[in-house]
Amino acid sequence: MKVNGHSRLVLISLCIAAVTASPVGAQKSKAPGVTDTEIKVGQTMPYSGPASAWGTVGRAELAYFKMINEQGGINGRKINLISVDDAFSPPKTVEQTRRLIEQEGVSIIFGSLGPGNLAVREYLNDRHIPQIFVLAPTETYNDPQHFPWTIGLQPTFYLEGKIHARYILAHKPEAKIAILYQNDQIAKEAATGMKDGLGEKARKLIVKEVSYEGSDPTIDSQLVILKGSGADVFYNISTPKFAAQAIRKVSEMGWKPLHFLSYGSQSISAVLEPAGLANATGIISAQFGKDPTDPRWMDDPNTKEFLAWLQKYYPGGKASDIFIGAGWAFAQPLVYVLKQCGNDLSRENIMRQTANLHNVAMSWLLPGVTLNTSPTDYQPIKEMRETRFNGKTWELLDESN
Protein backbone atom coordinates (compact mmCIF):
# COMPACT_ATOMS: atom_id res chain seq x y z
CA MET A 1 0.00 0.00 0.00
CA LYS A 2 1.59 3.24 -1.19
CA VAL A 3 0.84 6.95 -1.47
CA ASN A 4 3.55 8.25 -3.77
CA GLY A 5 5.16 8.03 -7.20
CA HIS A 6 5.36 9.62 -10.64
CA SER A 7 5.01 8.58 -14.29
CA ARG A 8 4.25 9.87 -17.80
CA LEU A 9 1.23 9.43 -20.06
CA VAL A 10 0.17 10.30 -23.58
CA LEU A 11 -3.58 10.11 -24.08
CA ILE A 12 -4.71 8.01 -27.01
CA SER A 13 -7.92 8.03 -29.01
CA LEU A 14 -10.99 6.07 -28.04
CA CYS A 15 -11.59 2.71 -29.70
CA ILE A 16 -13.69 0.39 -27.58
CA ALA A 17 -16.10 -2.51 -27.74
CA ALA A 18 -19.06 -2.99 -25.44
CA VAL A 19 -18.43 -5.01 -22.29
CA THR A 20 -21.33 -7.25 -23.08
CA ALA A 21 -19.64 -8.24 -26.33
CA SER A 22 -16.76 -9.88 -24.47
CA PRO A 23 -17.66 -13.50 -23.80
CA VAL A 24 -16.57 -14.92 -20.45
CA GLY A 25 -18.65 -18.04 -20.19
CA ALA A 26 -17.82 -20.59 -17.56
CA GLN A 27 -14.06 -20.20 -17.89
CA LYS A 28 -12.40 -18.92 -14.74
CA SER A 29 -9.73 -16.31 -15.35
CA LYS A 30 -7.82 -13.55 -13.68
CA ALA A 31 -7.04 -9.96 -14.56
CA PRO A 32 -3.46 -8.69 -14.44
CA GLY A 33 -2.66 -7.92 -10.83
CA VAL A 34 -4.70 -10.87 -9.54
CA THR A 35 -2.98 -13.91 -8.05
CA ASP A 36 -4.17 -16.72 -5.81
CA THR A 37 -3.41 -14.53 -2.79
CA GLU A 38 -3.81 -10.91 -3.94
CA ILE A 39 -6.01 -8.48 -5.88
CA LYS A 40 -3.97 -5.42 -6.82
CA VAL A 41 -6.14 -2.29 -7.16
CA GLY A 42 -5.08 1.22 -8.22
CA GLN A 43 -6.41 4.62 -7.23
CA THR A 44 -5.54 8.32 -7.46
CA MET A 45 -6.42 10.71 -4.63
CA PRO A 46 -5.78 14.41 -3.85
CA TYR A 47 -3.46 13.87 -0.90
CA SER A 48 -2.01 17.31 -1.62
CA GLY A 49 -3.21 20.43 -3.41
CA PRO A 50 -6.37 22.54 -3.08
CA ALA A 51 -8.69 19.59 -2.38
CA SER A 52 -6.39 17.71 0.01
CA ALA A 53 -9.18 17.40 2.60
CA TRP A 54 -10.70 14.78 0.30
CA GLY A 55 -7.53 12.70 0.59
CA THR A 56 -8.99 11.46 3.86
CA VAL A 57 -11.35 9.31 1.78
CA GLY A 58 -8.41 7.36 0.37
CA ARG A 59 -6.75 6.95 3.76
CA ALA A 60 -10.00 5.62 5.21
CA GLU A 61 -10.37 3.16 2.33
CA LEU A 62 -6.85 1.89 2.97
CA ALA A 63 -7.82 1.37 6.60
CA TYR A 64 -11.05 -0.41 5.63
CA PHE A 65 -9.24 -2.83 3.33
CA LYS A 66 -6.73 -3.50 6.11
CA MET A 67 -9.66 -4.73 8.19
CA ILE A 68 -10.98 -6.85 5.33
CA ASN A 69 -7.54 -8.37 4.80
CA GLU A 70 -7.15 -9.20 8.47
CA GLN A 71 -10.50 -10.98 8.26
CA GLY A 72 -9.19 -13.19 5.45
CA GLY A 73 -9.68 -10.97 2.40
CA ILE A 74 -12.00 -11.84 -0.50
CA ASN A 75 -12.18 -15.58 -1.10
CA GLY A 76 -8.71 -15.88 0.38
CA ARG A 77 -7.22 -12.98 -1.60
CA LYS A 78 -5.98 -9.80 0.07
CA ILE A 79 -6.88 -6.42 -1.45
CA ASN A 80 -3.69 -4.47 -2.17
CA LEU A 81 -4.85 -0.89 -2.79
CA ILE A 82 -2.10 1.26 -4.27
CA SER A 83 -3.38 4.78 -3.65
CA VAL A 84 -1.26 7.57 -5.13
CA ASP A 85 -1.36 11.36 -5.00
CA ASP A 86 -2.53 13.37 -8.01
CA ALA A 87 -2.91 16.71 -6.18
CA PHE A 88 -6.37 17.14 -7.80
CA SER A 89 -4.55 17.92 -11.04
CA PRO A 90 -5.68 16.15 -14.26
CA PRO A 91 -2.16 16.06 -15.79
CA LYS A 92 -0.92 14.43 -12.60
CA THR A 93 -3.85 11.97 -12.67
CA VAL A 94 -2.78 11.00 -16.18
CA GLU A 95 0.81 10.37 -15.06
CA GLN A 96 -0.16 8.40 -11.99
CA THR A 97 -2.80 6.27 -13.70
CA ARG A 98 -0.35 5.24 -16.39
CA ARG A 99 2.12 4.30 -13.68
CA LEU A 100 -0.51 2.22 -11.88
CA ILE A 101 -1.40 0.30 -15.04
CA GLU A 102 1.95 -0.03 -16.78
CA GLN A 103 4.39 -0.25 -13.86
CA GLU A 104 2.40 -1.43 -10.84
CA GLY A 105 0.24 -3.79 -12.92
CA VAL A 106 -3.03 -3.16 -11.09
CA SER A 107 -6.13 -5.09 -12.11
CA ILE A 108 -8.56 -2.14 -12.02
CA ILE A 109 -8.79 1.54 -11.15
CA PHE A 110 -11.14 2.01 -8.22
CA GLY A 111 -12.66 5.04 -6.51
CA SER A 112 -10.33 7.70 -7.88
CA LEU A 113 -11.45 11.17 -6.87
CA GLY A 114 -11.41 14.35 -8.89
CA PRO A 115 -11.57 15.86 -12.37
CA GLY A 116 -8.61 13.82 -13.59
CA ASN A 117 -10.90 10.83 -14.05
CA LEU A 118 -12.03 12.36 -17.34
CA ALA A 119 -8.44 12.72 -18.51
CA VAL A 120 -7.80 8.97 -18.17
CA ARG A 121 -11.21 7.64 -19.21
CA GLU A 122 -10.34 7.06 -22.87
CA TYR A 123 -6.99 5.49 -21.97
CA LEU A 124 -8.68 2.99 -19.64
CA ASN A 125 -11.63 2.23 -21.91
CA ASP A 126 -9.36 1.65 -24.89
CA ARG A 127 -7.53 -1.00 -22.87
CA HIS A 128 -10.71 -2.52 -21.39
CA ILE A 129 -9.59 -1.70 -17.86
CA PRO A 130 -12.44 -1.18 -15.35
CA GLN A 131 -12.59 2.35 -13.95
CA ILE A 132 -15.18 1.67 -11.30
CA PHE A 133 -16.96 3.64 -8.59
CA VAL A 134 -15.38 6.90 -9.71
CA LEU A 135 -15.74 9.55 -7.00
CA ALA A 136 -16.90 12.51 -9.05
CA PRO A 137 -20.59 13.43 -8.69
CA THR A 138 -21.27 14.09 -12.35
CA GLU A 139 -23.64 12.80 -15.01
CA THR A 140 -20.61 12.28 -17.24
CA TYR A 141 -19.83 8.83 -15.87
CA ASN A 142 -23.26 7.46 -16.69
CA ASP A 143 -22.43 6.85 -20.35
CA PRO A 144 -22.23 3.08 -20.90
CA GLN A 145 -22.83 3.45 -24.63
CA HIS A 146 -19.58 5.32 -25.20
CA PHE A 147 -17.56 4.36 -22.10
CA PRO A 148 -18.65 0.88 -20.94
CA TRP A 149 -15.60 0.42 -18.69
CA THR A 150 -16.24 3.56 -16.56
CA ILE A 151 -18.88 3.84 -13.86
CA GLY A 152 -19.46 6.31 -11.01
CA LEU A 153 -20.93 5.84 -7.54
CA GLN A 154 -22.22 9.00 -5.88
CA PRO A 155 -25.42 10.90 -6.61
CA THR A 156 -24.68 13.68 -9.06
CA PHE A 157 -24.38 17.36 -8.28
CA TYR A 158 -27.06 17.86 -10.91
CA LEU A 159 -29.46 15.84 -8.75
CA GLU A 160 -28.43 17.81 -5.67
CA GLY A 161 -29.14 21.10 -7.46
CA LYS A 162 -32.63 19.90 -8.42
CA ILE A 163 -33.35 18.79 -4.84
CA HIS A 164 -32.35 22.20 -3.45
CA ALA A 165 -34.47 23.93 -6.10
CA ARG A 166 -37.48 21.90 -5.04
CA TYR A 167 -36.90 22.97 -1.42
CA ILE A 168 -36.64 26.64 -2.42
CA LEU A 169 -39.86 26.52 -4.42
CA ALA A 170 -41.67 24.92 -1.49
CA HIS A 171 -40.30 27.11 1.31
CA LYS A 172 -39.03 30.36 -0.25
CA PRO A 173 -40.77 30.78 -3.60
CA GLU A 174 -39.85 34.48 -3.92
CA ALA A 175 -36.16 33.85 -3.27
CA LYS A 176 -33.33 35.86 -4.75
CA ILE A 177 -30.62 33.27 -5.36
CA ALA A 178 -26.87 33.76 -5.60
CA ILE A 179 -24.64 30.91 -6.76
CA LEU A 180 -20.92 30.41 -6.18
CA TYR A 181 -19.18 27.57 -7.99
CA GLN A 182 -15.71 26.39 -8.88
CA ASN A 183 -15.06 26.85 -12.57
CA ASP A 184 -15.23 23.19 -13.54
CA GLN A 185 -17.72 20.89 -15.18
CA ILE A 186 -18.98 19.15 -12.03
CA ALA A 187 -19.78 22.34 -10.13
CA LYS A 188 -21.49 23.77 -13.20
CA GLU A 189 -23.74 20.70 -13.26
CA ALA A 190 -24.98 21.58 -9.77
CA ALA A 191 -25.89 25.06 -10.96
CA THR A 192 -27.62 23.57 -14.00
CA GLY A 193 -29.53 21.18 -11.76
CA MET A 194 -30.83 24.09 -9.70
CA LYS A 195 -31.86 25.99 -12.82
CA ASP A 196 -33.65 22.97 -14.26
CA GLY A 197 -35.31 22.34 -10.90
CA LEU A 198 -36.56 25.93 -10.77
CA GLY A 199 -37.87 25.61 -14.31
CA GLU A 200 -39.34 28.72 -15.86
CA LYS A 201 -38.75 30.63 -12.60
CA ALA A 202 -34.97 30.24 -12.77
CA ARG A 203 -34.35 33.40 -14.77
CA LYS A 204 -36.32 35.48 -12.27
CA LEU A 205 -35.08 33.88 -9.04
CA ILE A 206 -31.35 33.55 -9.77
CA VAL A 207 -29.96 37.07 -9.47
CA LYS A 208 -26.20 36.40 -9.60
CA GLU A 209 -23.70 33.66 -10.43
CA VAL A 210 -19.96 33.94 -9.77
CA SER A 211 -17.19 31.38 -10.28
CA TYR A 212 -13.71 30.94 -8.82
CA GLU A 213 -10.60 29.02 -9.84
CA GLY A 214 -9.12 26.27 -7.71
CA SER A 215 -5.84 28.18 -7.74
CA ASP A 216 -7.38 31.36 -6.28
CA PRO A 217 -6.03 32.22 -2.81
CA THR A 218 -9.43 33.41 -1.53
CA ILE A 219 -12.99 33.94 -2.70
CA ASP A 220 -13.61 37.11 -0.69
CA SER A 221 -14.19 39.29 -3.74
CA GLN A 222 -16.70 36.85 -5.20
CA LEU A 223 -18.67 36.79 -1.96
CA VAL A 224 -18.77 40.60 -1.80
CA ILE A 225 -20.28 40.60 -5.30
CA LEU A 226 -22.84 37.95 -4.36
CA LYS A 227 -23.93 39.79 -1.22
CA GLY A 228 -24.19 43.01 -3.23
CA SER A 229 -26.71 41.34 -5.55
CA GLY A 230 -29.31 41.50 -2.78
CA ALA A 231 -29.67 37.71 -2.71
CA ASP A 232 -31.33 36.08 0.29
CA VAL A 233 -30.46 32.50 -0.78
CA PHE A 234 -26.87 31.33 -1.32
CA TYR A 235 -25.94 28.09 -3.11
CA ASN A 236 -22.33 27.38 -2.13
CA ILE A 237 -20.91 24.87 -4.65
CA SER A 238 -17.35 24.85 -3.35
CA THR A 239 -14.59 22.38 -2.54
CA PRO A 240 -13.80 22.02 1.21
CA LYS A 241 -11.13 24.73 1.47
CA PHE A 242 -13.27 27.37 -0.23
CA ALA A 243 -16.49 26.19 1.38
CA ALA A 244 -14.98 26.92 4.80
CA GLN A 245 -13.79 30.32 3.58
CA ALA A 246 -17.25 31.12 2.24
CA ILE A 247 -19.08 30.15 5.42
CA ARG A 248 -16.76 32.28 7.52
CA LYS A 249 -16.83 35.27 5.14
CA VAL A 250 -20.64 35.24 4.87
CA SER A 251 -20.81 35.59 8.64
CA GLU A 252 -18.14 38.29 8.76
CA MET A 253 -20.06 40.37 6.20
CA GLY A 254 -23.27 40.11 8.20
CA TRP A 255 -24.97 38.45 5.25
CA LYS A 256 -27.72 36.10 6.41
CA PRO A 257 -28.98 34.16 3.38
CA LEU A 258 -30.62 30.75 3.43
CA HIS A 259 -27.38 28.87 2.81
CA PHE A 260 -27.17 25.66 0.73
CA LEU A 261 -23.85 23.80 0.82
CA SER A 262 -22.67 21.26 -1.74
CA TYR A 263 -22.69 17.81 -0.13
CA GLY A 264 -19.05 17.21 -1.02
CA SER A 265 -18.07 19.82 1.58
CA GLN A 266 -20.33 18.97 4.51
CA SER A 267 -17.63 17.51 6.77
CA ILE A 268 -18.06 18.90 10.26
CA SER A 269 -14.41 18.51 11.28
CA ALA A 270 -12.78 19.41 7.95
CA VAL A 271 -15.08 22.26 6.85
CA LEU A 272 -17.61 23.44 9.43
CA GLU A 273 -15.29 23.53 12.44
CA PRO A 274 -12.63 25.59 10.60
CA ALA A 275 -15.42 27.90 9.42
CA GLY A 276 -16.90 28.15 12.93
CA LEU A 277 -19.80 25.95 13.99
CA ALA A 278 -21.89 28.96 14.93
CA ASN A 279 -21.35 30.38 11.44
CA ALA A 280 -22.46 27.08 9.89
CA THR A 281 -25.60 26.60 11.95
CA GLY A 282 -28.68 26.49 9.75
CA ILE A 283 -26.87 25.51 6.55
CA ILE A 284 -28.78 23.03 4.38
CA SER A 285 -27.11 20.25 2.42
CA ALA A 286 -28.13 16.83 1.09
CA GLN A 287 -27.37 13.28 2.19
CA PHE A 288 -27.73 9.75 0.88
CA GLY A 289 -25.90 7.97 3.71
CA LYS A 290 -26.27 7.77 7.46
CA ASP A 291 -24.38 10.31 9.55
CA PRO A 292 -22.94 8.44 12.57
CA THR A 293 -23.09 11.65 14.61
CA ASP A 294 -26.86 11.97 14.09
CA PRO A 295 -28.61 10.80 17.29
CA ARG A 296 -31.24 8.98 15.25
CA TRP A 297 -28.57 6.46 14.16
CA MET A 298 -27.01 6.03 17.62
CA ASP A 299 -28.24 2.44 17.98
CA ASP A 300 -27.99 1.60 14.28
CA PRO A 301 -25.76 -1.44 13.57
CA ASN A 302 -23.85 0.52 10.93
CA THR A 303 -22.97 3.24 13.43
CA LYS A 304 -21.75 0.71 15.95
CA GLU A 305 -19.65 -1.07 13.32
CA PHE A 306 -18.24 2.21 12.04
CA LEU A 307 -17.27 3.47 15.49
CA ALA A 308 -15.60 0.16 16.36
CA TRP A 309 -13.67 0.23 13.07
CA LEU A 310 -12.73 3.88 13.61
CA GLN A 311 -11.24 3.17 17.02
CA LYS A 312 -9.20 0.17 15.85
CA TYR A 313 -8.21 1.04 12.29
CA TYR A 314 -8.30 4.85 12.15
CA PRO A 315 -7.05 5.95 15.57
CA GLY A 316 -7.39 9.67 16.16
CA GLY A 317 -10.07 10.01 13.51
CA LYS A 318 -13.30 11.79 14.36
CA ALA A 319 -16.73 10.36 13.65
CA SER A 320 -17.73 13.89 12.67
CA ASP A 321 -15.31 13.83 9.72
CA ILE A 322 -17.64 12.79 6.94
CA PHE A 323 -14.67 12.08 4.68
CA ILE A 324 -13.60 9.24 6.98
CA GLY A 325 -17.16 7.97 6.92
CA ALA A 326 -17.13 8.26 3.12
CA GLY A 327 -14.01 6.13 2.85
CA TRP A 328 -15.57 3.52 5.14
CA ALA A 329 -18.70 3.51 3.00
CA PHE A 330 -17.26 3.80 -0.50
CA ALA A 331 -14.90 0.86 0.00
CA GLN A 332 -17.80 -1.50 0.63
CA PRO A 333 -19.27 -1.65 -2.90
CA LEU A 334 -15.91 -2.87 -4.20
CA VAL A 335 -15.85 -5.64 -1.60
CA TYR A 336 -19.38 -6.60 -2.64
CA VAL A 337 -18.48 -6.71 -6.35
CA LEU A 338 -15.33 -8.76 -5.80
CA LYS A 339 -17.28 -11.27 -3.72
CA GLN A 340 -19.87 -11.51 -6.49
CA CYS A 341 -17.12 -12.28 -8.97
CA GLY A 342 -16.29 -15.52 -7.16
CA ASN A 343 -13.22 -17.08 -8.73
CA ASP A 344 -13.69 -15.31 -12.07
CA LEU A 345 -11.65 -12.17 -11.53
CA SER A 346 -11.24 -11.29 -15.18
CA ARG A 347 -11.66 -7.62 -15.97
CA GLU A 348 -14.72 -8.50 -18.02
CA ASN A 349 -16.47 -10.15 -15.10
CA ILE A 350 -15.49 -7.43 -12.63
CA MET A 351 -17.10 -4.91 -14.96
CA ARG A 352 -20.12 -7.12 -15.59
CA GLN A 353 -20.81 -7.50 -11.86
CA THR A 354 -20.39 -3.74 -11.31
CA ALA A 355 -22.92 -3.03 -14.06
CA ASN A 356 -25.50 -5.45 -12.67
CA LEU A 357 -26.32 -4.26 -9.16
CA HIS A 358 -29.98 -4.81 -8.30
CA ASN A 359 -31.36 -3.21 -5.11
CA VAL A 360 -28.09 -3.84 -3.30
CA ALA A 361 -28.52 -2.71 0.30
CA MET A 362 -25.55 -1.22 2.12
CA SER A 363 -25.83 -0.60 5.86
CA TRP A 364 -24.50 2.96 5.50
CA LEU A 365 -27.15 4.07 3.01
CA LEU A 366 -30.28 5.86 4.20
CA PRO A 367 -33.35 3.61 4.50
CA GLY A 368 -34.85 2.98 1.08
CA VAL A 369 -31.69 3.90 -0.80
CA THR A 370 -29.98 1.03 -2.64
CA LEU A 371 -27.37 0.53 -5.35
CA ASN A 372 -28.82 -0.10 -8.80
CA THR A 373 -27.05 -0.41 -12.13
CA SER A 374 -27.62 -2.13 -15.45
CA PRO A 375 -25.72 -2.33 -18.76
CA THR A 376 -27.66 0.79 -19.81
CA ASP A 377 -27.65 2.66 -16.46
CA TYR A 378 -24.33 3.44 -14.78
CA GLN A 379 -25.66 5.66 -11.95
CA PRO A 380 -25.65 3.48 -8.78
CA ILE A 381 -27.15 5.99 -6.28
CA LYS A 382 -30.08 8.06 -7.47
CA GLU A 383 -31.67 9.41 -4.26
CA MET A 384 -30.85 12.07 -1.66
CA ARG A 385 -32.58 13.88 1.19
CA GLU A 386 -32.24 17.40 2.55
CA THR A 387 -30.37 17.85 5.84
CA ARG A 388 -29.71 20.88 8.06
CA PHE A 389 -26.76 21.55 10.39
CA ASN A 390 -28.01 22.33 13.91
CA GLY A 391 -24.70 23.50 15.36
CA LYS A 392 -23.62 19.99 16.40
CA THR A 393 -24.71 17.55 13.72
CA TRP A 394 -26.68 17.21 10.49
CA GLU A 395 -30.40 16.53 10.91
CA LEU A 396 -32.50 15.05 8.13
CA LEU A 397 -35.42 17.31 7.21
CA ASP A 398 -38.97 16.12 6.84
CA GLU A 399 -40.96 17.37 3.86
CA SER A 400 -42.59 19.97 6.13
CA ASN A 401 -39.30 21.50 7.37
Side-chain angles (χ1 to χ4, degrees):
M1 299 182 180
K2 310 169 188 174
V3 184
N4 53 28
H6 300 274
S7 186
R8 301 190 304 271
L9 172 65
V10 177
L11 288 177
I12 67 175
S13 60
L14 175 65
C15 178
I16 57 178
V19 175
T20 53
S22 302
V24 175
Q27 181 180 5
K28 306 305 179 187
S29 57
K30 301 172 185 175
V34 176
T35 69
D36 290 339
T37 59
E38 180 183 71
I39 305 170
K40 191 180 290 187
V41 177
Q43 176 189 81
T44 56
M45 275 281 160
Y47 291 109
S48 64
S52 60
W54 283 336
T56 300
V57 175
R59 296 186 184 95
E61 288 175 336
L62 287 164
Y64 186 85
F65 292 136
K66 181 179 180 182
M67 178 189 72
I68 293 297
N69 291 340
E70 289 183 0
Q71 293 173 352
I74 309 296
N75 298 324
R77 294 182 174 92
K78 304 294 178 66
I79 299 176
N80 178 8
L81 176 62
I82 303 175
S83 185
V84 296
D85 183 21
D86 69 356
F88 209 61
S89 167
K92 187 68 172 178
T93 309
V94 165
E95 294 177 3
Q96 294 287 46
T97 300
R98 177 126 183 198
R99 173 203 159 198
L100 289 167
I101 299 299
E102 300 180 14
Q103 296 183 27
E104 298 290 350
V106 301
S107 57
I108 63 174
I109 297 296
F110 155 74
S112 293
L113 190 156
N117 282 294
L118 281 177
V120 298
R121 182 171 60 167
E122 291 186 1
Y123 168 80
L124 295 170
N125 274 259
D126 184 72
R127 287 160 175 75
H128 294 190
I129 299 169
Q131 183 187 19
I132 64 175
F133 300 136
V134 171
L135 296 184
T138 168
E139 303 273 307
T140 304
Y141 299 110
N142 186 5
D143 188 6
Q145 180 179 358
H146 299 102
F147 299 99
W149 296 85
T150 299
I151 190 167
L153 177 63
Q154 304 156 281
T156 66
F157 273 12
Y158 177 82
L159 173 63
E160 181 195 57
K162 291 192 73 173
I163 289 172
H164 292 331
R166 184 173 63 201
Y167 184 94
I168 291 169
L169 291 175
H171 299 278
K172 203 173 179 66
E174 301 302 320
K176 296 179 181 178
I177 304 168
I179 301 176
L180 173 71
Y181 61 91
Q182 180 159 308
N183 187 24
D184 63 30
Q185 176 183 338
I186 298 175
K188 289 177 181 177
E189 285 185 22
T192 299
M194 175 161 283
K195 293 171 187 176
D196 288 353
L198 294 172
E200 60 184 17
K201 295 185 177 181
R203 183 170 296 183
K204 174 185 176 183
L205 298 184
I206 297 175
V207 297
K208 196 68 178 178
E209 296 179 69
V210 177
S211 67
Y212 70 90
E213 301 295 333
S215 58
D216 290 347
T218 75
I219 51 174
D220 286 2
S221 60
Q222 288 91 334
L223 290 165
V224 169
I225 293 171
L226 293 175
K227 180 190 177 185
S229 71
D232 55 11
V233 171
F234 174 38
Y235 188 12
N236 182 2
I237 313 168
S238 304
T239 55
K241 169 187 171 182
F242 294 104
Q245 286 187 17
I247 294 167
R248 187 167 54 247
K249 184 65 175 180
V250 165
S251 176
E252 290 174 356
M253 294 190 300
W255 187 23
K256 299 185 182 300
L258 177 61
H259 192 152
F260 291 88
L261 177 66
S262 174
Y263 80 79
S265 295
Q266 63 183 216
S267 172
I268 296 174
S269 61
V271 177
L272 304 191
E273 287 181 358
L277 295 182
N279 298 333
T281 300
I283 288 178
I284 294 175
S285 190
Q287 288 182 341
F288 53 94
K290 297 171 183 173
D291 180 352
T293 67
D294 187 335
R296 80 177 64 200
W297 308 122
M298 182 181 303
D299 296 322
D300 187 84
N302 176 73
T303 298
K304 293 179 179 180
E305 291 172 11
F306 170 73
L307 293 176
W309 167 83
L310 186 69
Q311 183 176 12
K312 182 176 181 179
Y313 291 96
Y314 209 107
K318 297 180 179 179
S320 60
D321 188 344
I322 198 169
F323 302 142
I324 297 177
W328 149 272
F330 295 161
Q332 295 179 39
L334 178 63
V335 172
Y336 177 87
V337 164
L338 294 177
K339 287 181 178 178
Q340 290 297 108
C341 287
N343 201 40
D344 183 355
L345 287 165
S346 63
R347 284 170 169 164
E348 289 82 2
N349 194 40
I350 291 172
M351 198 67 224
R352 181 180 295 107
Q353 298 301 327
T354 307
N356 284 278
L357 303 175
H358 304 296
N359 294 317
V360 176
M362 295 273 159
S363 63
W364 52 271
L365 288 168
L366 291 174
V369 180
T370 56
L371 304 181
N372 289 277
T373 59
S374 75
T376 59
D377 180 3
Y378 273 22
Q379 182 57 55
I381 304 175
K382 306 174 181 69
E383 301 171 73
M384 302 184 77
R385 288 183 57 188
E386 296 281 39
T387 184
R388 179 188 290 127
F389 185 65
N390 66 8
K392 295 182 179 179
T393 189
W394 291 99
E395 293 181 325
L396 290 175
L397 298 181
D398 298 325
E399 292 296 327
S400 60
N401 290 131

